[in-house]
Amino acid sequence: MIEGEKIQLRARIESDVPVLHAELQDDVVGRSRSDSRPWRPISPGTADSPYAVNGLPPEVVVFSVVETRTRELAGAASMWGIDTHNRLAHLGIGLRPAYRGRGLGTDVVRALCHYGFVVRGLHRIQLETLADNTGMITAATRAGFRVEGTLRRAAWVYGSFLDEVVLGLLAEEWTP
């Protein structure tokens, strides 16, 4: 388990899947904003659920986010595109609606950085988010990430092209 100040990252368990699926996958607009693939209906009990716990390739690591104070499931976090040769990866988080706005996002990003830099020995972690996702941009910059650029109108999201922001953090810039 990876400990933050307000959260813990732990292995995803089967009982997490229906909760995450109902609150994150079944939110069509929200899921469309957080995934580059088009939304489609997926049954929660199938292996196709983005929150399923089995069958993930080795370059993907998923966690469940637990709020330390309440011991409740607060969301999901992942590290994907893990490249062991170049020692880099991408990260992503998704908090359940009731857990947003509590400062958990920054703590989740910091905990993922600890996992990436300390446990995995990565050199670089990056994330991409929509330019209007101030919550994620704030969480990432508070954790030490730098805005590296804007990809103009690069994301097709629910009927419109939107800008994406790329943020990056190098191991030597990270402060635990």
Side-chain angles (χ1 to χ4, degrees), residues 76-146:
S78 63
M79 191 157 281
W80 55 275
I82 299 170
D83 178 338
T84 56
H85 176 71
N86 293 303
R87 295 177 41 209
L88 59 88
H90 302 258
L91 67 76
I93 69 172
L95 294 175
R96 296 172 58 199
Y99 294 88
R100 296 175 189 157
R102 297 186 187 185
L104 301 180
T106 300
D107 205 29
V108 174
V109 172
R110 286 182 178 136
L112 284 169
C113 288
H114 175 85
Y115 175 75
F117 293 133
V118 175
V119 177
R120 298 296 296 245
L122 298 176
H123 169 69
R124 173 185 170 77
I125 299 173
Q126 81 176 47
L127 65 94
E128 303 81 16
T129 191
L130 297 176
D132 65 355
N133 187 348
T134 56
M136 186 64 204
I137 294 168
T138 299
T141 56
R142 284 182 179 162
F145 282 75
R146 295 181 187 178

Side-chain angles (χ1 to χ4, degrees), residues 34-115:
S34 67
D35 196 327
S36 61
R37 299 166 293 193
W39 182 89
R40 63 186 177 97
I42 299 171
S43 298
T46 67
D48 287 342
S49 172
Y51 304 101
V53 294
N54 296 322
L56 294 172
E59 64 273 4
V60 176
V61 177
V62 297
F63 298 95
S64 286
V65 178
V66 175
E67 185 180 39
T68 305
R69 183 181 57 80
T70 63
R71 311 298 300 158
E72 293 179 2
L73 177 65
S78 63
M79 191 157 281
W80 55 275
I82 299 170
D83 178 338
T84 56
H85 176 71
N86 293 303
R87 295 177 41 209
L88 59 88
H90 302 258
L91 67 76
I93 69 172
L95 294 175
R96 296 172 58 199
Y99 294 88
R100 296 175 189 157
R102 297 186 187 185
L104 301 180
T106 300
D107 205 29
V108 174
V109 172
R110 286 182 178 136
L112 284 169
C113 288
H114 175 85
Y115 175 75

